[in-house]
Amino acid sequence: MKRKGTTPVASVQNDEIRDVIIVGSGPAGYTSAIYTARANLSPLVIAGSVTAGGELMNTTDVENFPGFPEGIMGPDLMDNLQKQAERFGAEILFDDVTNVDLSGDIKKVTINDGTVYNAYSVIISTGSAYRELGLADEKRLSGKGVSWCATCDGFFFRDQQIAVVGGGDSAMEEALFLTKFASKVFVVHRRSELRASKIMADRALAHEKIEFVWDSEVVGIDGDPKVTGLRVKNRHTNDETTLDVTGVFVAIGNDPRTDLIKDQLELTPEGTIAVDGRSSQTSLKGVFAAGDVIDSKYRQAITAAGSGCAAAIDVEHYLADLKTPAQAAN
Ligand code: NAP
């Protein structure tokens, strides 16, 4: 579904050159929008048609974003960030970027209807995408019992047995959320130790509806046309068992979303966009990056927001240097 911002986007002429375009609308994108809007740079945020708001739109309680002692629902946090950006004049377009040309002094950003927007600077804050197990069955049964989003699909598994794959915070969060619906939740993890934070791990380990299947990798997903079982193999004994489940939630992390820019910007060995030190400066001048797309380590909503702030300040300095006294006088 295409969401509409509360600020109408004026029709933009192709020859107009903006100060800054922000691609992506998670905590990094919206925070850079708030800061650049407050710096009178009139940012255009191209938020995405389906992915607007980013990963937190698929989350329930966010308990660790500072300033919300009782926690806040992920979609509410993103709505607040969007409204805050709009309050200072950010324009938000709920469309998808299909192409970028970042090489020249004037950056070109094309959206799905073919409109090209021009800007002196661009902030790439495209976040990350759910990682897949890479099994043929996963693709075949996607949407037919295989899912990457418990808050989206959990409801369909009322009183059924389901499995969550992964051992990080996402997997614990998904498993705990799914206990509201499922009769039993298996957590299949490839090691005997969780990667999740202690608070999340302890909650999941103590939950009566959650059973851990340790040291196990997924070797297949049964069912046609819908999931009927998950085949797992113990990594030490090589014993294969089939878990009697109708749903499989894959929560094995994310990969930076770099498809748009991977041929134009330098990437790190981890696949994130390479930036200069703690700044948001990418390998091309006038191009900045923020959030999960530059972060293989912390990947928290608050660190993404902080990096969006840094990108906005970097853009502000870049534009100030770009505008010579002669230009500034115009
Ligand atoms: P993550 O921390 O990278 O964990 C991914 C998990 O999936 C790991 O346990 C990993 O196993 C497993 N895994 C990876 N590839 C696999 C594969 N091909 N097959 C089977 N298992 C695989 O990712 P995440 O859980 O999405 O978390 C990402 C970041 O977001 C973290 O910094 C996390 O703290 C944060 N986060 C926070 C919250 C919260 O605070 N409420 C909620 C969600 C996410 P190994 O352990 O063996 O590597």
Side-chain angles (χ1 to χ4, degrees):
M1 193 182 74
K2 209 165 171 172
R3 297 192 316 147
K4 290 259 181 281
T6 50
T7 305
V9 177
S11 86
V12 178
Q13 299 304 310
N14 285 358
D15 53 2
E16 181 184 1
I17 304 174
R18 292 170 168 269
D19 278 330
V20 58
I21 293 175
I22 298 163
V23 182
S25 56
Y30 278 144
T31 303
S32 58
I34 293 166
Y35 272 74
T36 51
R38 282 174 52 79
N40 281 338
L41 298 177
S42 307
L44 172 66
V45 181
I46 305 182
S49 61
V50 180
T51 55
E55 212 182 315
L56 286 180
M57 297 301 283
N58 296 331
T59 317
T60 49
D61 278 312
V62 178
E63 294 179 339
N64 52 10
F65 200 90
F68 299 94
E70 306 302 324
I72 181 167
M73 299 300 276
D76 293 342
L77 176 61
M78 298 320 299
D79 273 356
N80 287 350
L81 290 178
Q82 181 194 324
K83 287 189 185 116
Q84 196 173 349
E86 287 174 321
R87 181 179 151 217
F88 296 111
E91 292 181 5
I92 301 173
L93 199 55
F94 293 97
D95 262 302
D96 298 311
V97 173
T98 53
N99 192 46
V100 289
D101 179 353
L102 304 172
S103 54
D105 288 341
I106 308 300
K107 318 298 176 191
K108 295 186 181 305
V109 178
T110 308
I111 63 166
N112 45 304
D113 70 1
T115 308
V116 180
Y117 296 91
N118 306 305
Y120 294 110
S121 67
V122 171
I123 296 174
I124 307 287
S125 52
T126 41
S128 55
Y130 298 125
R131 195 172 288 154
E132 297 180 3
L133 289 163
L135 298 168
D137 292 333
E138 185 184 18
K139 284 223 181 323
R140 180 176 66 82
L141 292 164
S142 168
K144 295 167 186 154
V146 176
S147 170
W148 283 261
C149 176
T151 51
C152 314
D153 300 326
F155 182 79
F156 300 115
F157 297 91
R158 193 172 284 282
D159 298 327
Q160 298 173 43
Q161 297 204 133
I162 53 187
V164 172
V165 185
D169 279 328
S170 296
M172 299 310 109
E173 195 170 78
E174 299 277 271
L176 287 161
F177 179 76
L178 288 165
T179 58
K180 294 183 187 174
F181 308 101
S183 55
K184 180 169 190 168
V185 180
F186 294 98
V187 174
V188 179
H189 182 35
R190 62 185 179 183
R191 294 188 295 135
S192 55
E193 200 182 320
L194 293 173
R195 183 177 293 280
S197 58
K198 186 156 172 26
I199 186 169
M200 299 291 284
D202 285 350
R203 272 185 212 167
L205 288 163
H207 202 289
E208 57 183 10
K209 276 192 183 177
I210 297 179
E211 180 179 327
F212 282 80
V213 182
W214 301 107
D215 297 311
S216 297
E217 63 188 72
V218 176
V219 289
I221 309 171
D222 293 337
D224 187 10
K226 288 182 170 177
V227 170
T228 55
L230 182 69
R231 274 183 285 126
V232 297
K233 185 169 86 173
N234 185 289
R235 298 177 82 188
H236 301 307
T237 62
N238 280 336
D239 284 348
E240 215 177 289
T241 43
T242 301
L243 302 175
D244 183 15
V245 296
T246 51
V248 176
F249 288 79
V250 181
I252 58 171
N254 301 274
D255 291 313
R257 214 188 284 265
T258 55
D259 284 356
L260 268 179
I261 53 78
K262 65 177 188 296
D263 298 328
Q264 300 180 53
L265 298 178
E266 271 176 31
L267 301 182
T268 66
E270 291 81 34
T272 53
I273 297 177
V275 289
D276 185 14
R278 293 188 63 206
S279 81
S280 64
Q281 175 64 61
T282 70
S283 52
L284 285 179
K285 72 182 170 95
V287 183
F288 303 84
D292 277 10
V293 79
I294 64 165
D295 180 6
S296 62
K297 187 169 180 189
Y298 300 106
R299 292 183 304 183
Q300 305 294 304
I302 188 65
T303 53
S307 109
C309 161
I313 293 172
D314 289 343
V315 161
E316 217 182 316
H317 292 163
Y318 172 76
L319 292 174
D321 288 346
L322 195 69
K323 293 186 179 178
T324 61
Q327 277 177 303
N330 290 333

